[in-house]
Amino acid sequence: MNTGTFNPPEIDYLAIAPILIIFGTAVLSVLVEAFVGRTARRPVQLVLVIGSLLVALYFVISQAGTRTITANGALVIDGPALVLWGALLVLSLLGAMLMAERTLDPSGDVFAARAAALPGSEDERQFTQRGWVQTEVWPLFLFSVSGMLMFVAANDLLLMFVALEVMSLPLYLLAGMARRRRLLSQESALKYFLLGAFSSAFFLYGASLLYGFSGTVSLPGIAEAISAKPSQGPLLILGMALLVVGLLFKVGAVPFHQWTPDVYQGAPSAVTGFMAATVKIAAFGALLRVMYVAFGGIRWDWEPMLWVIAILTMFVGSIVALVQTDIKRMLAYSSIAQSGFIMLGVIAASAEGLSASLFYLIAYGFGTIGAFAVISMVRQSGGEATSLSAWAGLGRTSPVIGAVFAVFMLSLAGIPLTSGFVAKFGVFAAAIESGDTWLVIAAVVASIIAAFFYVRVIVLMYFSAPAKEPAVVAVPSAFTTIALAAGVTVTVVLGIIPQPLLELVANADVFLR
Amino acid sequence: MTELMPAEGVFSLIWLLIALPLAGAIVLLFGGRRTNSWGPYLGVLTVSASAVLGVLMLLGLLDRPAEERTVEQTLFTWVFVGDFQADMAFQLDQLSMVFVLLITIVGALIHVYSLGYMAHDPDRRKFFGYLNLFVAAMLLLVLANNYLLVYVGWEGVGLASFLLIGFWQAKPSAAAAAKKAFIINRVGDVGLSLAIMLMFVTFGSVSFDDVFRSTSEASEGTLTAIGLLLLLAAAGKSAQFPLQAWLLDAMEGPTPVSALIHAATMVTAGVYLIVRSNAIYNAAVWAATAVVIVGLITIFMGAIIGSAKDDIKKSLAGSTMSQIGYMIFAAGLGPIGYVFAIFHLLTHGVFKAGLFLGAGSVMHGMNDNVNMRRYGALKGLMVITFITFMAGYLAIIGIPPFSGFWSKDEIIHAAFERNAFIGIATILAAGITGFYMTRMIAMTFFGKPRWEEGVHPHESPAVMTIPLIILALGSTFMGMALLFWGNIESWLEPVTGFASEPTPLPTMFYIGVTLVVVIIGAVIGWITYGVKPVPIDPPHGSWLTRAARKDLYGDAVNDVLVVQPSLATARYLSWFDDKGIDGFVNGIARWVGLLANTLRRTQSGLVRSYALSMVGGVFVVVLALLLVRMN
Amino acid sequence: MNEVIEPNLGETLVFWICGGLAVVGALGMVISRKAVHSALWIALTMINLAILYVANSAPFLGMVQVVVYTGAVMMLFLFVLMVVGVDSSDSLIETIKGQRVAALLLGVGLTIMLVAGLGAGLSGAGTIGLDAANAADGGNVQGLARLMFSDYIIAFQATGALLITAAVGAMVLTHREYWQPRKSQRELSQDRFTDGGHPGNKPSPGVYARHNAVDTPALLPDGSTSAISIPAPLRARDDARAIDVNDITNVRRLTEGESE
């Protein structure tokens, strides 16, 4: 007996085409694993990955003006979503370039020849010698990207949760597949997985409490419920707190940050670069959407909490980075500190705050992926030279790479004429306009502390005698070269002529509700 | 306020002033070893071309009536967020013009000098690259039409200065000095960045034009805050009290760097900033008073430090502090002082560059020894250096008709226009200047040789002496030229404003008194260091030794009144420098390090402890939200 | 809006009993030392949750909970644990100072806040129940289906990505490939003879009164031990037990002594 009539949801397939393309290609890519011969797999996968990213990017650009909510309110395609999609796709493209690199390591790929082979075993040696490659990384990579695209466009908490998992699960796997120092890599992957699952549980708990509060999981629905119920109960507060914890984990905010250094260090540098840039963008995209759309009406409630988190994040990240001796760990703490700065844009809770955050995320993404590209090129006999001491004097032995890395460091430190300066200025100005002057003063102090460790690397590269076992810069193939060139170009161009991007993000400064 | 004129004719090339040295820097720093042979010459060429362009622009400005001398060139809109706009735009007016000339001409001379001075350095190319980078950044600083762009140049000169101080990084002291300069400068930078943010919030713009037009709209409290923050910035960059400590250490850099950056140009950026912001200080009396106080304290600190140092460059650095103190002081006096602050800045830029390069020439001949107690009797061996140094010497102590006399005298006169007490203080400081500069001359060029073994002093090559000669000519005639022929007051007046107030006594009286005090100081210096032999080991200034020497010093009453307290104070100050400021900086560093290590320990690598800290975070987040809600 | 329904006594009893048992199961899972016990405890939790679902008019969810979680997933867990070895238990010695105390305090504190918050938020809220929602679509299953294929169609399909990722991931991490062709039965038996190896069964490990484990070598007629009676991995690890000749004589003496 059917009393209700079923109305199929109307889905604007063109608007969500980027998600569908990446998603579909990911499935196709799994089939390629199954049916294409071993030697042909890698080229086929690369064509699929790069092709699908470019086609998806085309669809994003071609519908720049689209503002729509589709699939019964599950997905929203608005200004911020499109900007974030564009950024995610371009950075994923660069990340794919890094992951496709195979001339830097004398033995081949950046990933282990076979992730299942025990580290140090005869099997591992044989697989490596035979030049086998784990091409399954490509479908995993595409699934992760599709999850990110959904994550920033999700308009209800259920889809947001699924997208969060679709984004994260492949990353847990990719993090554990480093070619060298495999035990470290596997350990970091397991840590990432366990803690990620832990944080997902908080997110889910929060979402269910919010459902209990409002009777819906849709973000605008929650906002309506908030404005409809004058005596907003503890259910809302608890739900919001737990939900935010899940998101803060992904952006690496203190005290949910501790996975960051371990995972950044253990994962292959190509994956770290990809992950550091894109996950940060996706997670902040979602955080901004949740805070602005769902909880915009009670910003006075959550702002003090985020002040505390932002200040902790900026200072812990900057201070602990000072004593790091491993460059990847240092950049991990740097990414934590940067999260704190971006949070100023979230706290601003204004159109300026949103567009400044978007600009910051893009500037940060390119700088970070470029920095990890450099790290993947600086090598010693045992693989990448991640110990800072090996970088001493690098600026003198390899002036171009030294200078490029210095540009990334200066940008992350927020020195003028780099993208990082414009980005910092934007979020600081937005926060001041929203009346958070003290927070900005704290952020300025934190950025001074942060400047020390960035400049310390430059000092090390230029002012120190080369180490006993100096690192050498391996000559990369076109893949890494493209990623690196794109990173440094964007960093410098956005510092000198940021106007086009500023206009772009200024046109994307409202979330569609 | 004069109208902004569009950039036409030669002024459409304003951007090229900056682009030339910047291009030089890029080629040199990224060109690699290929550019080793011709790179330094390219560096000289780009800066010289900028200088020529600058002169052409000066002629262009002179062709125009005074109210049309502010030219603006907008390249593109740089940052545009919401209501906020900052352009990549340049403003060339009378004030910028004199700075452009100072930077490019002195810069070009120092580049030429460096060809000789750095001839044997393996990293010569990089040195010239950094120098070009500095010139480009400094030009950007003075040509910017808004504070945000000033900030870009400000950071740029800071970076170049940092790289150049640490240029001989093999010396740990050089690396430490670079770090110290960087740290202290960052404190000043905070001032500037906060001032910019405050301006943006108050005026909705950071361009000079908008800010200065709307100062009347802001409350005096806000203006005072902006003024004090700008003063903090100026103090950091210009080595003024209480951020002066880095300048002495910065002498670890190559001498041409000390001459260009740490004497003639970069350290005067603070003066530029204050004079440029005159509209703010005119409306904020307390901020201007703070400027005067900071300037006055630094005048004495610098002079006293200069009296006690045996290291020729550090002694000159103390003197630089003191002279910039004069400029800051004058800038704080308001419209009666702005013009003379800039006037003194120009003359000082030239004669101090000459003195530093002279010191470099001496060091070049003495195997890079900087200890004046191991010099002596060089006047016969290094004739050109000696003569040019004397020109600088006479200029700095203010003997007519040398350039320093005109500019310093105007500042002292302006001080008396405001207040007799500060006027007397500036005269006293001029006396100390006479003392320490005479001491330097006496220890270096006169007396008996106290050279170390194996040192054979010789004159420097022509490539070094020619810039010395040009700078010496500048030290001699520039003051008169600017004052009588160039009419500096009326030239700068449209930008800075100019006023003159009556003084109770005739001008000649102040000139006379100043000269007498300076000569007394010089004579004391001469008696102490020129007539008496200079001991190689620095004498102890303790009570006992002083009592033993009492009859030697007894004939100069002022010796006990000025020199010994000066030395003691200098020692205290340098102790304060080492223990106080360094201690403060190191203390912070140690504290931060300790904190970092404590925090690092929480990173145990064990998942369960990470999970625990996450739970702690959840606890705090929930609690914070509930507490906020309950209120 | 649906009318608020007051829960009846039966529902209240079911909630408190099953809810309590679910919590007990969850605690038991965390506290147990052995993995198998943990798996069984969590099965208890799952079943009780299923009962609660059914009691809340969500029979489909209850069935799925039993079939999928309690049935399939938990049994799979148990299988894996049995294969890995039921005896293996983790070291529970805590090495981080203060970890347990802090975890306990924070856990209790968080629980108190959550319980207090939920209590305050839900007190007097009453229950709505699913009856109205179920009736709207003609049944629980139909209602779920409608939601799944309309509002949450994207989320539903995206879940597919998770399953594919999980499958690919499991394969990547565990699937063992061979870098040389596997030998056929024929080739293996040929190898056995061509190598001049031992064609027949290898001697079984020694069986004595005191030792009868696989690490105890067999005794040859001359009293020496046979190396090939021990599995190769044990030999490689030097884990084979040595046979003390005195042992044999001691045993003999004891047994002879007894017989006397």
Side-chain angles (χ1 to χ4, degrees):
Chain A
M1 186 190 86
N2 208 350
T3 51
T5 49
F6 178 68
N7 299 318
E10 280 181 22
I11 298 176
D12 184 347
Y13 287 103
L14 181 68
I16 63 165
I19 298 181
L20 298 179
I21 289 164
I22 302 295
F23 196 97
T25 315
V27 175
L28 196 64
S29 167
V30 174
L31 293 177
V32 167
E33 284 303 309
F35 295 111
V36 174
R38 181 167 283 151
T39 47
R41 265 183 226 163
R42 190 182 126 90
V44 172
Q45 293 285 23
L46 280 180
V47 169
L48 277 183
V49 166
I50 293 173
S52 65
L53 289 172
L54 287 175
V55 173
L57 192 59
Y58 165 77
F59 275 95
V60 171
I61 295 167
S62 70
Q63 47 179 333
T66 308
R67 303 282 186 273
T68 177
I69 297 182
T70 185
N72 280 12
L75 279 171
V76 54
I77 289 83
D78 54 9
L82 285 169
V83 168
L84 290 167
W85 278 2
L88 284 171
L89 288 170
V90 173
L91 288 168
S92 299
L93 200 59
L94 302 187
M97 300 278 178
L98 293 186
M99 285 163 63
E101 177 64 56
R102 58 188 327 191
T103 52
L104 287 176
D105 195 312
S107 71
D109 228 41
V110 298
F111 294 103
R114 276 294 174 274
L118 284 177
S121 65
E122 171 67 11
D123 277 359
E124 185 195 37
R125 213 173 57 76
Q126 290 288 350
F127 290 135
T128 310
Q129 221 168 45
R130 269 150 229 264
W132 287 20
V133 283
Q134 188 92 57
T135 42
E136 283 88 351
V137 296
W138 297 112
L140 292 175
F141 170 81
L142 284 175
F143 275 124
S144 182
V145 176
S146 73
M148 291 169 192
L149 297 183
M150 268 188 285
F151 197 39
V152 296
N155 205 29
D156 72 51
L157 293 176
L158 190 69
L159 180 58
M160 197 174 261
F161 176 73
V162 175
L164 173 74
E165 294 302 318
V166 173
M167 166 180 94
S168 310
L169 207 53
L171 289 177
Y172 302 147
L173 286 161
L174 291 176
M177 290 165 70
R179 189 175 200 88
R180 293 173 184 267
R181 300 171 86 187
R182 288 189 55 200
L183 288 175
L184 192 70
S185 171
Q186 291 176 352
E187 184 190 326
S188 79
L190 196 60
K191 277 181 192 168
Y192 193 16
F193 172 59
L194 286 173
L195 294 172
F198 195 48
S199 79
S200 294
F202 282 113
F203 184 97
L204 208 51
Y205 198 172
S208 65
L209 290 183
L210 286 171
Y211 180 78
F213 166 75
S214 62
T216 172
V217 287
S218 107
L219 300 181
I222 293 170
E224 263 172 45
I226 288 172
S227 58
K229 295 188 190 179
S231 60
Q232 295 143 358
L235 221 50
L236 166 66
I237 299 299
L238 286 178
M240 180 170 75
L242 297 179
L243 190 79
V244 168
V245 164
L247 294 170
L248 289 177
F249 173 84
K250 282 290 162 198
V251 305
V254 176
F256 315 105
H257 67 289
Q258 285 175 312
W259 60 275
T260 322
D262 291 5
V263 175
Y264 277 31
Q265 186 186 19
S269 292
V271 173
T272 311
F274 163 66
M275 185 166 81
T278 54
V279 172
K280 186 86 74 192
I281 292 182
F284 262 111
L287 184 67
L288 283 163
R289 191 177 290 282
V290 166
M291 286 330 216
Y292 279 50
V293 176
F295 303 128
I298 47 166
R299 62 174 283 211
W300 306 115
D301 273 306
W302 52 260
E303 276 186 346
M305 179 265 292
L306 279 192
W307 285 342
V308 177
I309 299 274
I311 289 178
L312 270 179
T313 307
M314 291 185 289
F315 278 92
V316 170
S318 308
I319 289 176
V320 182
L322 289 174
V323 288
Q324 296 305 313
T325 53
D326 183 290
I327 188 121
K328 284 169 86 175
R329 285 187 87 83
M330 194 204 85
L331 281 183
Y333 282 105
S334 132
S335 91
I336 293 169
Q338 302 284 345
S339 285
F341 297 132
I342 306 173
M343 242 178 257
L344 261 62
V346 182
I347 293 170
S350 62
E352 286 81 17
L354 173 54
S355 60
S357 307
L358 294 179
F359 186 94
Y360 202 124
L361 286 169
I362 293 169
Y364 166 80
F366 280 96
T368 301
I369 214 161
F372 278 100
V374 174
I375 289 176
S376 71
M377 288 163 58
V378 178
R379 307 186 77 90
Q380 271 173 333
S381 55
E384 285 166 10
T386 57
S387 161
L388 263 177
S389 57
W391 285 57
L394 196 76
R396 290 193 271 180
T397 51
S398 313
V400 175
I401 288 304
V404 165
F405 200 69
V407 167
F408 292 133
M409 291 295 107
L410 292 176
S411 174
L412 288 172
I415 304 290
L417 286 190
T418 59
S419 58
F421 169 72
V422 183
K424 274 214 177 69
F425 191 85
V427 290
F428 288 2
I432 284 194
E433 276 201 24
S434 294
D436 301 310
T437 313
W438 286 109
L439 190 62
V440 171
I441 292 174
V444 170
V445 173
S447 64
I448 293 168
I449 299 176
F452 284 142
F453 65 81
Y454 292 124
V455 171
R456 193 178 64 145
V457 180
I458 302 179
V459 172
L460 193 72
M461 288 194 304
Y462 285 95
F463 288 171
S464 299
K468 277 201 197 90
E469 281 181 69
V472 289
V473 174
V475 180
S477 68
F479 287 124
T480 302
T481 315
I482 291 171
L484 192 59
V488 76
T489 310
V490 171
T491 303
V492 173
V493 168
L494 284 188
I496 299 171
I497 25 179
Q499 196 49 37
L501 184 61
L502 283 172
E503 270 166 20
L504 187 71
V505 294
N507 285 333
D509 62 356
V510 277
F511 284 115
L512 199 59
R513 281 153 214 271
Chain B
M1 186 71 56
T2 51
E3 280 303 304
L4 298 179
M5 305 301 290
E8 290 158 347
V10 67
F11 299 107
S12 59
L13 297 177
I14 292 178
W15 61 276
L16 198 62
L17 282 174
I18 301 168
L20 278 169
L22 185 65
I26 290 171
V27 170
L28 286 174
L29 293 178
F30 290 91
R33 289 184 197 83
R34 274 157 290 176
T35 61
N36 266 354
S37 51
W38 47 269
Y41 300 101
L42 178 76
V44 175
L45 198 69
T46 52
V47 176
S48 311
S50 279
V52 172
L53 202 56
V55 172
L56 289 177
M57 285 183 192
L58 173 69
L59 297 176
L61 282 192
L62 288 171
D63 264 356
R64 296 176 172 215
E67 60 274 16
E68 288 178 12
R69 283 178 181 163
T70 302
V71 182
E72 191 182 50
Q73 180 182 36
T74 305
L75 292 188
F76 52 84
T77 299
W78 178 38
V79 183
F80 185 78
V81 191
D83 322 323
F84 173 77
Q85 179 172 357
D87 291 338
M88 188 64 86
F90 307 123
Q91 174 178 334
L92 184 74
D93 57 13
Q94 294 91 330
L95 180 61
S96 314
M97 193 67 244
V98 294
F99 267 92
V100 168
L101 292 175
L102 176 74
I103 296 161
T104 54
I105 294 176
V106 175
L109 289 175
I110 287 170
H111 270 73
V112 172
Y113 176 91
S114 305
L115 285 177
Y117 191 84
M118 302 296 284
H120 306 299
D121 198 291
D123 283 328
R124 208 154 67 107
R125 172 180 59 84
K126 218 159 65 185
F127 178 79
F128 279 88
Y130 292 156
L131 272 191
N132 266 14
L133 179 67
F134 168 76
V135 171
M138 188 73 200
L139 286 171
L140 180 65
L141 199 167
V142 298
L143 282 171
N145 91 330
N146 63 69
Y147 280 99
L148 198 64
L149 207 53
V150 166
Y151 186 68
V152 174
W154 194 266
E155 292 281 345
V157 292
L159 177 70
S161 156
F162 167 71
L163 290 167
L164 283 166
I165 294 171
F167 187 74
W168 285 323
Q169 63 269 56
K171 281 198 288 183
S173 58
K179 208 163 75 185
K180 188 171 177 185
F182 183 80
I183 292 174
I184 296 181
N185 265 301
R186 288 300 289 186
V187 177
D189 295 350
V190 175
L192 186 53
S193 61
L194 289 180
I196 293 174
M197 303 240 175
L198 200 53
M199 274 181 216
F200 167 56
V201 171
T202 315
F203 305 112
S205 169
V206 294
S207 85
F208 292 153
D209 202 38
D210 295 340
V211 171
F212 300 154
R213 269 175 210 284
S214 43
T215 43
S216 54
E217 293 163 18
S219 71
E220 197 181 330
T222 312
L223 289 173
T224 306
I226 294 176
L228 290 176
L229 287 169
L230 289 175
L231 174 62
L232 182 68
K237 201 56 93 193
S238 294
Q240 297 294 294
F241 176 81
L243 300 177
Q244 80 289 355
W246 63 272
L247 186 63
L248 293 170
D249 292 16
M251 295 300 127
E252 292 291 344
T255 306
V257 170
S258 312
L260 176 61
I261 299 185
H262 304 121
T265 56
M266 185 189 84
V267 285
T268 60
V271 183
Y272 171 79
L273 189 69
I274 291 176
V275 173
R276 174 57 84 190
S277 313
N278 58 69
I280 290 169
Y281 287 99
N282 288 345
V285 181
W286 286 108
T289 310
V291 174
V292 170
I293 293 169
V294 165
L296 205 54
I297 292 176
T298 317
I299 292 175
F300 280 95
M301 274 181 110
I304 292 169
I305 289 174
S307 308
K309 293 283 178 184
D310 289 331
D311 177 329
I312 186 167
K313 284 179 71 180
K314 293 204 169 166
S315 182
L316 280 174
S319 140
T320 303
M321 265 171 66
S322 171
Q323 299 300 316
I324 295 173
Y326 270 111
M327 300 169 208
I328 295 272
F329 168 83
L333 292 176
I336 56 171
Y338 294 132
V339 168
F340 302 124
I342 298 300
F343 184 26
H344 193 53
L345 190 156
L346 294 173
T347 56
H348 171 260
V350 171
F351 66 67
K352 185 53 69 67
L355 285 170
F356 262 111
L357 294 189
S361 176
V362 170
M363 287 159 57
H364 198 70
M366 302 296 289
N367 288 3
D368 286 332
N369 194 340
V370 290
N371 187 354
M372 291 191 285
R373 294 189 182 276
R374 306 311 298 255
Y375 292 172
L378 295 174
K379 65 176 187 295
L381 290 162
M382 306 174 85
V383 178
I384 300 175
T385 304
F386 169 63
I387 294 171
T388 55
F389 206 92
M390 283 306 286
Y393 162 75
L394 293 169
I396 193 174
I397 66 172
I399 300 292
F402 291 90
S403 63
F405 163 76
W406 306 103
S407 53
K408 196 188 284 181
D409 178 67
E410 294 283 14
I411 292 178
I412 291 170
H413 193 257
F416 273 101
E417 285 176 23
R418 178 57 46 86
N419 180 322
F421 176 73
I422 57 176
I424 293 169
T426 53
I427 291 188
L428 274 179
I432 306 179
T433 310
F435 167 75
Y436 69 74
M437 285 311 295
T438 310
R439 168 177 178 269
M440 187 183 295
I441 291 280
M443 287 172 88
T444 306
F445 294 103
F446 295 93
K448 299 223 155 48
R450 304 176 297 276
W451 311 332
E452 284 177 336
E453 298 276 313
V455 172
H456 306 289
H458 55 84
E459 185 56 280
S460 300
V463 72
M464 289 166 72
T465 50
I466 289 169
L468 282 179
I469 293 167
I470 297 173
L471 288 170
L473 290 174
S475 312
T476 313
F477 300 112
M478 199 173 133
M480 285 181 285
L482 283 177
L483 199 59
F484 300 122
W485 179 61
N487 250 336
I488 183 103
E489 294 108 318
S490 54
W491 170 259
L492 285 174
E493 202 211 324
V495 182
T496 61
F498 179 62
S500 189
E501 288 166 21
T503 47
L505 293 165
T507 309
M508 285 313 292
F509 173 78
Y510 300 110
I511 297 178
V513 170
T514 310
L515 272 177
V516 169
V517 171
V518 166
I519 290 168
I520 290 175
V523 167
I524 294 170
W526 179 253
I527 291 171
T528 324
Y529 294 96
V531 179
K532 309 262 158 55
V534 179
I536 286 177
D537 295 318
H540 255 283
S542 75
W543 269 103
L544 265 178
T545 36
R546 211 160 41 154
R549 293 191 199 127
K550 204 161 189 173
D551 53 341
L552 298 173
Y553 287 80
D555 50 355
V557 178
N558 277 343
D559 182 50
V560 181
L561 286 181
V562 179
V563 179
Q564 290 303 333
S566 300
L567 287 173
T569 318
R571 251 176 237 120
Y572 169 72
L573 285 179
S574 65
W575 173 86
F576 184 70
D577 239 24
D578 288 351
K579 294 281 148 40
I581 303 286
D582 282 9
F584 178 68
V585 171
N586 294 340
I588 286 187
R590 202 174 313 127
W591 185 78
V592 168
L594 205 69
L595 187 64
N597 279 316
T598 315
L599 286 172
R600 183 165 62 173
R601 220 165 293 140
T602 63
Q603 191 77 21
S604 61
L606 295 168
V607 173
R608 58 183 184 280
S609 83
Y610 295 179
L612 179 64
S613 99
M614 280 174 66
V615 173
V618 174
F619 186 82
V620 171
V621 166
V622 172
L623 193 66
L625 280 171
L626 286 177
L627 285 179
V628 170
R629 174 43 58 103
M630 272 174 218
N631 286 334
Chain C
M1 244 351 236
N2 298 309
E3 226 164 272
V4 172
I5 310 159
E6 281 304 314
N8 61 30
L9 179 67
E11 245 178 278
T12 315
L13 277 180
V14 166
F15 172 77
W16 284 110
I17 293 171
C18 291
L21 282 176
V23 173
V24 169
L27 286 175
M29 181 224 153
V30 177
I31 293 170
S32 301
R33 276 164 190 273
K34 294 195 173 172
V36 175
H37 295 174
S38 287
L40 292 172
W41 279 119
I42 200 166
L44 178 70
T45 303
M46 297 281 186
I47 290 175
N48 280 294
L49 287 180
I51 298 172
L52 285 178
Y53 293 152
V54 175
N56 278 301
S57 327
F60 182 75
L61 195 54
M63 285 306 119
V64 169
Q65 175 80 11
V66 170
V67 171
V68 175
Y69 282 96
T70 324
V73 175
M74 289 321 304
M75 290 313 115
L76 205 60
F77 272 11
L78 280 180
F79 265 130
V80 171
L81 290 172
M82 291 295 180
V83 170
V84 170
V86 278
D87 282 345
S88 65
S89 60
D90 289 326
S91 159
L92 290 175
I93 298 165
E94 181 54 68
T95 48
I96 309 173
K97 218 172 108 189
Q99 164 86 10
R100 290 223 167 131
V101 178
L104 199 68
L105 286 178
L106 281 176
V108 169
L110 200 57
T111 312
I112 290 173
M113 273 199 304
L114 285 172
V115 168
L118 282 173
L122 297 175
S123 63
T127 52
I128 293 174
L130 278 177
D131 291 339
N134 287 342
D137 287 300
N140 182 251
V141 178
Q142 288 88 333
L144 270 181
R146 190 184 62 76
L147 281 181
M148 218 179 267
F149 288 104
S150 61
D151 290 3
Y152 302 116
I153 178 75
I154 302 278
F156 180 57
Q157 293 181 2
T159 318
L162 277 183
L163 295 179
I164 302 174
T165 307
V168 172
M171 207 205 61
V172 164
L173 290 183
T174 56
H175 174 57
R176 184 157 165 221
E177 281 176 277
Y178 293 87
W179 43 274
Q180 51 196 9
R182 291 179 79 167
K183 287 182 175 169
S184 65
Q185 193 74 37
R186 185 185 181 82
E187 284 168 325
L188 282 173
S189 74
Q190 279 171 349
D191 282 353
R192 192 181 274 187
F193 285 92
T194 48
D195 287 356
H198 193 83
N201 287 343
K202 288 177 181 160
S204 51
V207 179
Y208 313 112
R210 285 172 131 197
H211 308 289
N212 56 357
V214 285
D215 59 352
T216 330
L219 281 181
L220 293 176
D222 60 353
S224 64
T225 55
S226 160
I228 53 172
S229 65
I230 313 259
L234 290 183
R235 263 183 279 152
R237 296 207 307 251
D238 255 353
D239 267 357
R241 242 173 237 273
I243 297 301
D244 191 350
V245 180
N246 289 333
D247 260 4
I248 302 171
T249 45
N250 281 344
V251 170
R252 185 179 298 139
R253 195 161 46 82
L254 278 171
T255 48
E256 280 167 5
E258 267 171 29
S259 68
E260 270 169 17

